[in-house]
């Protein structure tokens, strides 16, 4: 077998039936005894993702081109996608106790860097793998940095994952909220998160800031306030929605639920 992994991958990519061989080469390049330098692994990832990107572009053009021609082009090269790498390489790699955790994170981030370079949307399961690896090894500072500087792209699933980590890393709650706010399409989720934490007034201030004060459910907020068993809080929320009723309907009464 060709000892130079980059040349070997170049050769294998020309053969459409070599997908599993390529994945085996990638897996071998990450384990002690056969481990390649990160710079070499980076080049291999770029070679794989260049072909992957070309494949995705052909897919997007399939509706405009002759389908037979497109299919013929697909068969000319092996295509290694994110699911292939996750299933056959990374999921095994992260469980290898002989590999240093910092190297594991570096490899995963290098693959994500390569995907971004070729403008390939990163699948959520890769971000989840990175975050779980960081958390399991108490790399919380690095996790915070990755999120704060958007190395890991914002998404609702990622924010939900961060919310689930609050018990082991307290700042995860605020990081998740900040991410949801940046998405601008997750206002309902933000309100639900705040109410679940009994931050009723904060939730009211938030919906006012995004201009949804006239459409939000009063009942949801009143029930959340009631569960806190704080009579003053409930009174404050109740008066808030009475004033809204007065402004919208000309009277303070609530509309009965049918």
């Amino acid at each position: 077998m060709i000892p130079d992994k980059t040349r070997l991958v170049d050769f294998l990519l020309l053969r459409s039936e070599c997908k599993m061989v390529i994945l085996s080469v990638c897996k071998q390049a990450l384990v002690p005894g056969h481990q390649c330098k990160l710079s070499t692994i980076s080049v291999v990832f770029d070679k794989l993702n260049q072909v992957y990107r070309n494949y995705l572009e052909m897919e997007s053009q399939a509706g405009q081109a002759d389908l037979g021609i497109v299919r013929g082009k697909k068969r000319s090269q092996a295509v290694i996608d994110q699911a292939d790498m996750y299933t056959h390489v990374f999921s095994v790699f992260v469980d290898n106790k002989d590999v240093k955790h910092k190297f594991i994170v570096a490899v995963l981030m290098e693959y994500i860097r390569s995907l971004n370079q070729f403008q390939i949307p990163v699948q959520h399961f890769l971000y989840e793998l990175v975050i779980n690896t960081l958390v399991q090894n108490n790399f919380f500072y690095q996790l915070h940095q990755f999120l704060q500087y958007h190395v890991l792209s914002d998404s609702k699933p990622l924010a939900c994952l961060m919310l689930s980590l609050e018990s082991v890393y307290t700042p995860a709650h605020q990081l998740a909220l900040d991410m949801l706010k940046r998405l601008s399409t997750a206002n309902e989720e933000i309100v639900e998160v705040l109410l679940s934490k009994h931050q009723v007034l904060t939730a009211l201030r938030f919906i006012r800031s995004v201009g949804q004060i006239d459409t939000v459910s009063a009942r949801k907020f009143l029930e959340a306030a009631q569960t806190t068993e704080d009579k003053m809080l409930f009174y404050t929320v109740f008066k808030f929605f009475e004033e809204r009723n007065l402004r919208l309907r000309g009277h303070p009464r609530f509309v009965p639920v049918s």
Side-chain angles (χ1 to χ4, degrees), residues 145-188:
Q145 294 290 299
F146 283 167
L147 292 167
Q148 191 170 17
Y149 294 104
H150 315 308
V151 177
L152 305 177
S153 299
D154 296 343
S155 71
K156 288 182 183 180
L158 191 56
C160 290
L161 176 59
M162 291 306 300
L163 286 171
S164 72
L165 296 174
E166 186 184 5
S167 61
V168 293
Y169 184 55
T170 305
H173 173 75
Q174 189 58 50
L175 288 168
L177 274 182
D178 291 343
M179 184 180 294
L180 289 171
K181 289 176 183 176
R182 288 193 298 270
L183 287 170
S184 301
T185 56
N187 293 338
E188 187 175 339

Side-chain angles (χ1 to χ4, degrees), residues 211-235:
Q212 294 184 348
I213 202 68
D214 292 346
T215 57
V216 74
S217 166
R219 182 176 181 176
K220 178 187 295 186
F221 282 81
L222 290 167
E223 287 178 347
Q226 191 171 31
T227 60
T228 67
E229 298 183 353
D230 183 333
K231 293 182 179 179
M232 184 55 69
L233 174 62
F234 182 83
Y235 176 78

Side-chain angles (χ1 to χ4, degrees), residues 27-36 93 96-100 103:
K27 186 160 55 176
Q28 186 183 56
L30 301 178
V31 298
H34 303 280
Q35 199 172 87
C36 294
F93 173 55
N96 192 323
K97 304 303 180 184
D98 296 324
V99 182
K100 292 181 179 178
F103 183 70

Side-chain angles (χ1 to χ4, degrees), residues 14 33 73 122 130 137 153 157 166-167 174 212 248-249:
L14 297 174
K73 288 183 179 178
V122 181
V130 171
N137 295 285
S153 299
E166 186 184 5
S167 61
Q174 189 58 50
Q212 294 184 348
L248 294 178
R249 304 191 191 102

Side-chain angles (χ1 to χ4, degrees), residues 79-98:
V79 177
I80 311 296
D81 63 23
Q82 296 173 68
D84 294 326
M85 290 297 289
Y86 177 86
T87 303
H88 300 286
V89 180
F90 295 141
S91 61
V92 180
F93 173 55
V94 298
D95 290 334
N96 192 323
K97 304 303 180 184
D98 296 324

